[in-house]
Amino acid sequence: MKVFAHRGASGEAPENSRAAIQIALDLPIFGVEIDVFAFDDDYVITHDRWLTRTTGIARRLNDLTKGELAALSAGECQGHPQSILTLAEVLALGWDEKVLNLELKSIADMQHLHDYIKTHAPDLPSGQILLSSFNHHYLASARQLQLPYERGWLTASLPLQLAATAEDSGSDWISIDMAMLDEALVKDAHARGLKVGVYTVDEEDDLALLLSMQVDAVFANHPGRAAEFIRQNR
Ligand code: G3P
Ligand code: MG
């Protein structure tokens, strides 16, 4: 079972920050999940439309200028102040073999996103990028544009025909909230050739259950702990 750091190693450093991502990149894990918003002609790494929770400033992302956004504090890690990153800053980190899972929160133009990735990370293999979203229109657009990335169908619910719908969409992954996970879904997804991810998993009991179900990946706030538990219990 693979491990994605959820919002970077967000249990160890401010979520989606450089420190959280770097901690994750230094761990023996599969990949790093971050949240992406289109912002002006750029992309920024943050989870919420409003920045209140992550910066303490009650402003809406899209009401800020680039300068205002760059000046915001996104917390600190071991005395190092953290800011809200652009996607270009993330792509410039050392990805080696790790997978960068871009969870698309709000994107205006998928072709623009692809061109941006290719401009800022021309040498990063497409196979190391996974595009995932709760907004399945973005996944459909990526498919229609034939973007060269795996696609992850995110869901926080367990609709009827979930695996069949995700298969029809051409997705590679279904990633589902732990609260909704159901063994029949895992089997149905696997029978259709889909990989199954589960978020957000930090409890050993949950990891053991997911190992027994042969789930393919978990998203963990403490990815190092999850990876070590899996190593000892697989
Ligand atoms: O991508 C998996 C997970 O991050 C989805 O939920 O709210 O943490 O972005 P959320
Ligand atoms: Mg996310």
Side-chain angles (χ1 to χ4, degrees), residues 7-69:
R7 311 182 192 176
S10 59
E12 322 285 339
E15 66 181 48
N16 287 313
S17 68
R18 180 187 296 274
I21 297 167
Q22 190 59 58
I23 290 168
L25 286 174
D26 291 339
L27 290 168
I29 60 173
F30 181 69
V32 183
E33 185 261 0
I34 56 174
D35 302 293
V36 183
F37 275 84
F39 178 71
D40 199 353
D41 60 349
D42 208 334
Y43 297 90
V44 295
I45 310 309
T46 194
H47 184 274
D48 305 341
R49 293 171 55 245
W50 286 76
L51 300 169
T52 322
R53 183 178 62 83
T54 51
T55 70
I57 304 297
R59 301 278 304 274
R60 188 165 34 208
L61 173 64
N62 284 341
D63 291 341
L64 297 180
T65 64
K66 279 189 172 184
E68 287 172 328
L69 189 73

Side-chain angles (χ1 to χ4, degrees), residues 178-218:
M178 179 73 205
M180 288 291 129
L181 184 69
D182 156 274
E183 189 158 22
L185 169 70
V186 179
K187 289 188 170 148
D188 191 10
H190 284 166
R192 297 171 187 277
L194 293 159
K195 293 171 274 195
V196 178
V198 180
Y199 64 88
T200 305
V201 186
D202 286 294
E203 299 295 338
E204 293 188 351
D205 281 359
D206 288 342
L207 289 166
L209 176 66
L210 298 179
L211 276 170
S212 75
M213 288 187 185
Q214 301 186 311
V215 159
D216 299 279
V218 292

Side-chain angles (χ1 to χ4, degrees), residues 129-131 139 147-153 166-167 169-175 189-190 192-197 216:
I129 293 184
L130 165 61
L131 301 180
L139 304 180
L147 302 189
Y149 312 113
E150 286 203 345
R151 296 184 293 274
W153 181 275
E167 181 188 22
S169 78
S171 296
D172 302 284
W173 289 82
I174 295 176
S175 290
H190 284 166
R192 297 171 187 277
L194 293 159
K195 293 171 274 195
V196 178
D216 299 279

Side-chain angles (χ1 to χ4, degrees), residues 6-7 33 35 47 101 103 105 132 134 154 175 199-200 219:
H6 179 241
R7 311 182 192 176
E33 185 261 0
D35 302 293
H47 184 274
N101 179 1
E103 193 207 320
K105 293 294 191 191
S132 62
F134 291 101
L154 288 180
S175 290
Y199 64 88
T200 305
F219 297 82

